[in-house]
Amino acid sequence: MSMSITNTPTRYGWAAIILHWLIGALFIGQFGLGFVMVRLTSQRTAFELIQLHKSLGFLLLGLVILRIAWRIGNAAPALPRSVGPFERRTAPLAHFALYGFQLALPLSGWALVSVSMLEIPSMPFNLFVMPNLPLAESDAAENFWAAAHWYLAYAGIALVILHALAALRHHFWLKDTVLERIIMPSSDRGAE
Ligand code: HEM
């Protein structure tokens, strides 16, 4: 089994694999948590869950920055030959958009709490006070960023579903290595 941390021309290394699944789980978890916390009747529970949502969101933002830096510094493996011309053109666009959502979503959440007149401090995991973004507070700005956060969350999760369906199609329909190689670096058939 390959223990490569970095990507090779045909496979993903551990760093890309771990970041992919960790961020994926956090992203989907954040969507579920966000969906539930704004529908609660208990103010107290809602407050606690929103603080947790903010903590996990900042963690996610840090991981996403790390991931993008890693992606820029360490080229992704080439697509296997089984991938047709249509996907060869569209998949990179979808992936680029996914990176965009991973960045824009936590940033819009951070903007939302920064402009809120409620002025509730963000304390990631109770470790320190996260400064607000330098944006002017107002109810109008809060409404704007809340709407932006909502649209980005729903569009982002739709793209994640499309992305997962595309991966499943590779595995079960096209029967190539595209899904396997983001699970295990040892899949040696990557170049097929
Ligand atoms: C990938 C990261 C994130 C995802 C997927 C996400 C997703 C969501 C979702 C689905 C909602 C519910 C929207 C609704 O139905 O009204 C929500 C609400 C919220 N999110 Fe996030 N969020 C993320 C990151 C963050 C971050 C980093 C912060 C702040 C630091 C944040 C702050 C909030 C707040 C304050 C609300 C409540 C908005 C309201 O009261 O209308 N989120 N989020």
Side-chain angles (χ1 to χ4, degrees):
M1 186 178 80
S2 159
M3 298 300 283
S4 178
I5 302 283
T6 52
N7 302 333
T8 72
T10 55
R11 309 179 207 170
Y12 282 107
W14 280 117
I17 292 176
I18 290 169
L19 284 168
H20 174 269
W21 293 104
L22 193 58
I23 290 171
L26 274 171
F27 195 101
I28 294 167
Q30 279 290 81
F31 184 86
L33 184 55
F35 186 89
V36 167
M37 77 195 185
V38 296
R39 285 167 175 76
L40 292 175
T41 43
S42 158
Q43 293 291 312
R44 165 127 200 106
T45 317
F47 179 82
E48 298 292 344
L49 290 186
I50 291 173
Q51 292 301 97
L52 177 63
H53 182 78
K54 288 157 65 178
S55 295
L56 291 171
F58 284 121
L59 174 65
L60 189 123
L61 180 59
L63 289 170
V64 167
I65 292 169
L66 198 66
R67 182 182 191 187
I68 292 175
W70 189 261
R71 177 68 180 74
I72 291 170
N74 185 202
L79 288 170
R81 277 195 290 275
S82 57
V83 176
F86 176 74
E87 274 185 300
R88 217 164 263 285
R89 259 178 289 128
T90 52
L93 291 180
H95 297 160
F96 188 78
L98 279 164
Y99 283 114
F101 278 101
Q102 287 168 65
L103 262 187
L105 246 168
L107 286 176
S108 67
W110 193 2
L112 160 60
V113 295
S114 300
V115 300
S116 172
M117 304 288 276
L118 296 174
E119 296 188 339
I120 297 167
S122 301
M123 303 237 317
F125 305 103
N126 286 325
L127 293 175
F128 59 94
V129 176
M130 191 68 169
N132 283 334
L133 290 172
L135 300 167
E137 286 174 17
S138 74
D139 286 332
E142 181 173 358
N143 289 339
F144 171 81
W145 285 112
H149 195 63
W150 189 94
Y151 281 112
L152 286 169
Y154 280 78
I157 210 76
L159 197 55
V160 167
I161 291 170
L162 185 75
H163 175 74
L165 289 175
L168 292 174
R169 175 172 167 271
H170 277 283
H171 193 71
F172 291 107
W173 190 297
L174 304 173
K175 300 199 190 317
D176 60 23
T177 55
V178 166
L179 179 58
E180 280 166 34
R181 67 186 200 167
I182 194 70
I183 296 175
M184 282 297 288
S186 58
S187 152
D188 218 348
R189 301 157 45 224
E192 280 175 18

